[in-house]
């Protein structure tokens, strides 16, 4: 239903329109308060690169953050990552995260980033605290913040926005009548726009999510996706239909498709009830990080990689590398 409202296909968005005006006024005032200096923002001692979005719901932001971290690591940079840690609840913040940190404490996306990139990760509701914790733990050349485009309390040196190429901006209105956290005109002020699927417009960088082989949660055995049969597909991500469509594009037609809310906290009993004898449960990698502790032998996940053109992304990566190296040289002098 929410997709129909946000796309404009349902007239119910008109009922929510007054609330959208309030949301837009408040969010615009918050941003203005930082721009005018009425509220203080903090400048980190190392460059900050934000990977965020303008809309609610899954856009492919975390795969882009992982791609960016790995691309910068290959250039010899020491990169850290900070996140709000949505979906997790730690006893104290900031929390330093590694691949073994429970998602119940850190949230699913920070643990996934730590597992895939090996980068140091910290989470905290106030990202300044997460940045300070990372820098206290080890020297870093720059920090990538996963989400946080609208977190203006933290100054940033570069902004990258990820856009869902199929859905774009829906009806264009602020939440809750539409999907927008900020209006589309904000794209004119960012450093790069990466478009996940669909058709990139002039000046945007096209990206696709390329699936790898399916991986068994228990044994870590890998298998071609098309080799899996009698599959029950589940996804607790921002936009589950994208995952289900990917499976079908690669030769897997699930016997059923089950969508959970983004950041859903799973239990073994809940997922076991989805299957009958002989069926395989296939989930996203983001879901898998929450299920490894109680996984069953017939549970698999599908990792995906953000795939972007080297020619299109080289100027962006060159710019960020220059920024980090220049800052490091300035700090050393």
């Amino acid at each position: 239903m929410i997709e129909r409202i946000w796309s404009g296909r349902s007239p119910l968005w008109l009922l929510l329109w007054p609330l959208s005006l309030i949301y837009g006024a408040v969010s615009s005032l918050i941003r203005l308060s930082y721009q005018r200096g009425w509220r203080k923002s903090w400048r980190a001692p190392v460059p900050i690169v934000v990977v965020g979005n303008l809309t609610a719901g899954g856009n492919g932001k975390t795969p882009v953050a992982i791609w960016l971290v790995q691309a910068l690591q290959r250039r010899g940079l020491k990169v850290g990552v900070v996140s709000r840690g949505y979906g997790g609840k730690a006893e104290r913040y900031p929390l330093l995260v590694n691949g073994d940190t429970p998602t119940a404490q850190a949230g699913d996306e920070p643990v996934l980033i730590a597992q895939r990139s090996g980068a140091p990760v910290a989470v905290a509701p106030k990202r300044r605290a997460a940045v300070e914790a990372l820098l206290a733990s080890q020297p870093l050349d720059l920090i990538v913040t996963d989400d946080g485009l609208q977190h203006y309390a933290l100054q940033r040196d570069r902004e990258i926005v990820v856009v869902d190429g199929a859905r774009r901006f829906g009806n264009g209105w602020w939440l809750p009548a539409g999907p927008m956290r900020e209006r589309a005109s904000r794209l004119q002020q960012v450093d790069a726009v990466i478009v996940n699927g669909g058709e990139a417009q002039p000046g945007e960088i096209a990206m696709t999510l390329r699936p790898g082989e399916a991986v068994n949660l228990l044994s870590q055995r890998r298998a071609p996706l098309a080799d899996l049969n009698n599959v029950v597909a589940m996804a607790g991500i921002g936009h589950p239909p994208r995952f289900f469509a990917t499976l079908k594009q690669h030769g897997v037609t699930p016997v059923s498709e089950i969508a959970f809310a983004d950041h859903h906290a799973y239990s073994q009993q809940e997922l076991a009830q989805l299957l009958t004898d002989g069926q395989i449960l296939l989930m996203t990698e983001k879901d898998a990080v929450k299920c490894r502790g109680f996984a069953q032998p017939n549970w698999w996940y599908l990792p995906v990689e953000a795939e972007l053109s080297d020619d299109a992304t080289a100027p962006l990566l060159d710019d960020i590398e220059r920024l980090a190296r220049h800052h490091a040289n300035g700090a050393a002098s």
Side-chain angles (χ1 to χ4, degrees):
M1 174 59 77
I2 195 67
E3 290 290 334
R4 288 182 55 81
I5 292 174
W6 286 355
S7 69
R9 296 195 305 270
S10 169
L12 291 178
W13 73 270
L14 292 169
L15 298 178
L16 300 172
W17 181 65
L19 296 177
S20 288
L21 296 180
I22 296 173
Y23 181 98
V26 170
S27 62
S28 299
L29 182 60
I30 290 173
R31 186 177 182 216
L32 181 65
S33 69
Y34 285 108
Q35 290 175 330
R36 296 292 177 87
W38 304 334
R39 301 174 73 177
K40 298 298 182 183
S41 60
W42 180 68
R43 165 67 66 180
V46 298
I48 299 292
V49 179
V50 172
V51 178
N53 49 40
L54 299 184
T55 60
N59 298 307
K61 171 182 55 59
T62 298
V64 170
I66 294 170
W67 164 82
L68 178 63
V69 171
Q70 292 176 329
L72 295 173
Q73 287 172 332
R74 288 192 292 271
R75 290 174 174 237
L77 296 175
K78 298 175 182 177
V79 186
V81 180
V82 300
S83 172
R84 168 67 178 81
Y86 188 86
K89 188 174 182 181
E91 292 184 1
R92 61 181 63 88
Y93 292 103
L95 174 67
L96 293 176
V97 178
N98 58 47
D100 297 322
T101 304
T103 57
Q105 296 180 20
D108 45 27
E109 290 164 346
V111 174
L112 174 57
I113 292 171
Q115 288 180 350
R116 288 287 296 274
S117 70
V121 179
V123 300
K126 294 183 178 179
R127 288 174 177 82
R128 173 178 178 173
V131 170
E132 290 175 328
L134 278 185
L135 295 177
S137 69
Q138 59 190 285
L140 296 170
D141 295 313
L142 78 157
I143 290 176
V144 172
T145 170
D146 179 39
D147 209 356
L149 186 68
Q150 291 79 34
H151 186 73
Y152 292 109
L154 177 64
Q155 294 184 33
R156 66 288 308 268
D157 299 274
R158 298 293 185 270
E159 294 178 323
I160 300 171
V161 168
V162 184
V163 174
D164 184 316
R167 295 181 293 167
R168 297 292 296 190
F169 306 119
N171 60 17
W173 278 101
W174 290 293
L175 293 164
M180 306 300 293
R181 295 173 176 176
E182 296 183 90
R183 300 305 288 269
S185 58
R186 179 76 166 81
L187 293 182
Q188 300 170 10
Q189 300 158 353
V190 305
D191 298 282
V193 179
I194 295 176
V195 178
N196 180 15
E199 186 172 341
Q201 297 181 3
E204 299 176 341
I205 299 173
M207 162 193 145
T208 57
L209 288 176
R210 178 175 56 83
E213 291 187 311
V215 182
N216 186 276
L217 269 72
L218 277 185
S219 68
Q220 298 302 300
R221 183 169 70 87
R222 294 178 175 269
L225 187 57
D227 287 358
L228 301 185
N229 298 303
N230 206 11
V231 167
V232 172
M234 56 157 275
I237 57 177
H239 188 53
R242 181 186 293 120
F243 176 65
F244 303 142
T246 296
L247 298 183
K248 293 170 184 173
Q249 290 166 6
H250 291 82
V252 175
T253 302
V255 296
S256 61
E257 300 171 352
I258 299 124
F260 291 92
D262 197 10
H263 307 291
H264 181 76
Y266 300 105
S267 69
Q268 182 183 45
Q269 181 180 8
E270 176 183 36
L271 296 186
Q273 290 175 345
L274 302 179
L275 304 177
T276 59
D277 289 343
Q279 290 183 331
I280 288 174
L281 185 63
L282 181 59
M283 63 187 72
T284 72
E285 188 174 15
K286 180 177 163 180
D287 294 310
V289 299
K290 294 181 285 189
C291 301
R292 283 197 173 96
F294 50 84
Q296 300 300 296
N298 57 338
W299 293 8
W300 295 71
Y301 72 89
L302 181 66
V304 295
E305 299 277 356
E307 194 168 71
L308 301 93
S309 163
D310 290 341
D311 291 340
T313 57
L316 172 64
L317 296 174
D318 290 344
D319 174 57
I320 295 174
E321 182 180 1
R322 280 194 301 269
L323 172 70
R325 304 264 185 225
H326 176 74
H327 184 275
N329 292 335
S333 62

